[in-house]
Amino acid sequence: MAVPTEGETIQIHSYKHNGRIHRVWQETTVLKGTNNIVIGANERTMVTESDGRTWITREPSICYFHAEHWFNIICMLRDDGVYYYCNVSSPFVYNNGSLKYIDYDLDVKVFPDMSYTLLDEDEYEDHKRQMGYPEVIDQILHRNVEKLIGWIKQRRGPFAPDFIEVWTSRYEFHRQYRLTE
């Protein structure tokens, strides 16, 4: 698998289980790219929905993707603290300048005090029936929800106290570098 390089601008493509595009983020700056982990950042990037509608993200975000875990984590940097939006998804793949994953509907929203809420369980059950999620996928997804909640409680990965500081600093470096080009 190809690996995005630090400083490169990529797109993020979210698909549904049936292979249809769900959402596209136009520009994300790669802060770290390996075979297993991609960390990126974006701010005020255009997002295109499957029906063609577009919108612009409101705040800077640090995005964490892993090739072995069935979730990704968006850290939204707001005035009142960091909010995390965790998508239960397939592991990512990267090709042709785009990071791609399958969105499996379940989400976990994490608040600055590290309390959290599981979202979209009804949507998950509907799509599971409509798209025929195999039982093995259902089991993997539920195990990964538990793993994700463990990370939140243990302050692992993007929930670690220094994660945001390290990667926002790296993002600022790349933003300043672009301004001087």
Side-chain angles (χ1 to χ4, degrees), residues 50-65:
S50 60
D51 63 5
R53 288 180 299 124
T54 60
W55 53 279
I56 305 289
T57 59
R58 292 181 299 193
E59 62 269 315
S61 295
I62 305 295
C63 312
Y64 176 92
F65 299 90

Side-chain angles (χ1 to χ4, degrees), residues 125-143:
E125 290 301 326
D126 289 346
H127 285 169
K128 179 181 166 185
R129 273 191 309 278
Q130 291 168 10
M131 295 183 217
Y133 298 174
E135 182 61 30
V136 67
I137 294 289
D138 184 60
Q139 292 171 4
I140 289 169
L141 298 175
H142 282 92
R143 274 197 311 270

Side-chain angles (χ1 to χ4, degrees), residues 25 40 56 71 86 96 116 122 131 133 168 170:
W25 288 259
I56 305 289
F71 53 81
C86 311
N96 298 325
Y116 60 88
D122 291 343
M131 295 183 217
Y133 298 174
T168 54
R170 196 79 182 150

Side-chain angles (χ1 to χ4, degrees), residues 15-31:
Y15 293 85
K16 287 298 184 183
H17 184 80
N18 61 9
R20 293 196 177 126
I21 193 75
H22 174 55
R23 191 171 285 144
V24 175
W25 288 259
Q26 294 300 323
E27 294 185 352
T28 296
T29 302
V30 175
L31 305 178

